[in-house]
Amino acid sequence: MATLLKHSAKYALSGRLARLGVHSRHGGLQCLQPRLLPHQRSASTSSKILVEMDDSTGIAVLTMKNPPVNSLSLDFLTEFSISLEKLELDRGCRGVILTSALPKIFSAGLDIMEMYGKSPEHCGEFWKAVQEMWLRLYGSSMITIAAINGSSPAGGCLMALACDYRIMAENPKYSIGLNETQLGIVAPFWFKDTLVNTVGNRAAELSLQLGLLYSAPDALRTGLVDLLVPEDKVLSTASQTMTQWLAIPGENAIGSNPRVSSS
Ligand SMILES: CCC/C=C/C(=O)SCCNC(=O)CCNC(=O)[C@H](O)C(C)(C)COP(=O)([O-])OP(=O)([O-])OC[C@H]1O[C@@H](n2cnc3c(N)ncnc32)[C@H](O)[C@@H]1OP(=O)([O-])[O-]
């Protein structure tokens, strides 16, 4: 499995590099651009993803900024996979925190406009990009933490589930879950497997069959997320947690991960 994940995650992206520089259809959002200290660098080349690498800690923060709701369009997914691949190849990078620049939304999931009225070729390319995003995150050799600072339905939840650890803002208005059934869609088996691996069989059955969206407290109770913290502490807690994980000697935290080490 590990070999499959790693090899699948490495297939060429160069043909899609041309998509970089395509601007958001919605545009216009003012994202905060933190001032970087000398040991920090912006590794970002993309308009929809901000990557900030701290060389002193080996931690990168990957911030999604695809307004209005961080929907996972083909352009966005391509940029995401390229950004993650670059970090994977950066020997100094050991951990990635995934978060959102948008207020109240982590990610609204797959961009529904990519699935409506498009050619079979476009749908195929889009679907490949969704799978690639999942393969890259789920099979990453870095520690990955989702700092969930807003709602995260469907594909947004999949993204969070593909990380090693999930920290969510304890705002009861935010929800997370694989709600595809409610949309008349059957979640693919790898969505299901990712959920089962996180919450167990029974909770996953209920969750998928009913298309449940969980409030932040319910998500914690179900095991969909690992920790709730006040909204303004999500990112700092993710950094502290990452530091703990990276303190595990050698590659042991990665090596102990059943999904990476099972083959
Ligand atoms: C096949 C395999 C499985 C499928 C997996 C999936 O992920 S399927 C996907 C399953 N995803 C869902 O079921 C999520 C559905 N979305 C929601 O539940 C809510 O939008 C929200 C909670 C994310 C944000 O609530 P809020 O009150 O803060 O914001 P708002 O609601 O006012 O929306 C603002 C604008 O964003 C637009 N837009 C929204 N989502 C999408 C999208 N996915 N894509 C594109 N666009 C989207 C929305 O139309 C509107 O556009 P407008 O009119 O301004 O041009």
Side-chain angles (χ1 to χ4, degrees), residues 168 174-178 203 206-207 212-216 218-219 222 224:
M168 188 169 184
Y174 296 162
S175 61
I176 183 168
L178 294 181
L206 286 172
S207 177
L212 296 179
L213 277 176
Y214 298 88
S215 67
D218 285 347
T222 311
L224 197 55

Side-chain angles (χ1 to χ4, degrees), residues 25-26 67-69 71-72 103-105 107-115 127 130 151-156 175 178-180 183 185-188 191 213:
R25 265 175 296 162
H26 309 282
V69 290
S71 64
L72 308 178
K104 301 186 291 183
I105 312 284
S107 166
L110 305 194
D111 192 316
I112 43 186
M113 299 315 289
E114 297 280 10
M115 299 182 275
W127 196 237
V130 178
S151 287
S152 197
S175 61
L178 294 181
N179 61 322
E180 281 80 358
L183 310 170
I185 303 170
V186 175
F191 279 52
L213 277 176

Side-chain angles (χ1 to χ4, degrees), residues 77-192:
L77 288 164
T78 304
E79 291 186 13
F80 182 88
S81 289
I82 290 169
S83 300
L84 210 55
E85 184 190 33
K86 282 184 181 168
L87 292 174
E88 202 80 58
L89 295 172
D90 184 337
R91 295 180 72 87
C93 183
R94 299 172 58 221
V96 176
I97 295 170
L98 176 62
T99 194
S100 164
L102 310 183
K104 301 186 291 183
I105 312 284
F106 183 70
S107 166
L110 305 194
D111 192 316
I112 43 186
M113 299 315 289
E114 297 280 10
M115 299 182 275
Y116 176 75
K118 294 287 193 293
S119 68
E121 292 74 27
H122 182 93
C123 291
E125 198 185 349
F126 175 61
W127 196 237
K128 197 171 152 190
V130 178
Q131 290 179 317
E132 185 159 315
M133 172 275 288
W134 175 77
L135 284 165
R136 283 203 179 281
L137 261 183
Y138 208 46
S140 176
S141 60
M142 303 175 289
I143 302 296
T144 51
I145 294 181
I148 309 164
N149 49 352
S151 287
S152 197
C157 176
L158 179 76
M159 256 185 160
L161 286 171
C163 293
D164 291 302
Y165 196 76
R166 284 156 289 284
I167 299 166
M168 188 169 184
E170 62 187 7
N171 188 330
K173 289 186 180 158
Y174 296 162
S175 61
I176 183 168
L178 294 181
N179 61 322
E180 281 80 358
T181 315
Q182 293 279 3
L183 310 170
I185 303 170
V186 175
F189 74 89
W190 41 283
F191 279 52
K192 182 200 76 179

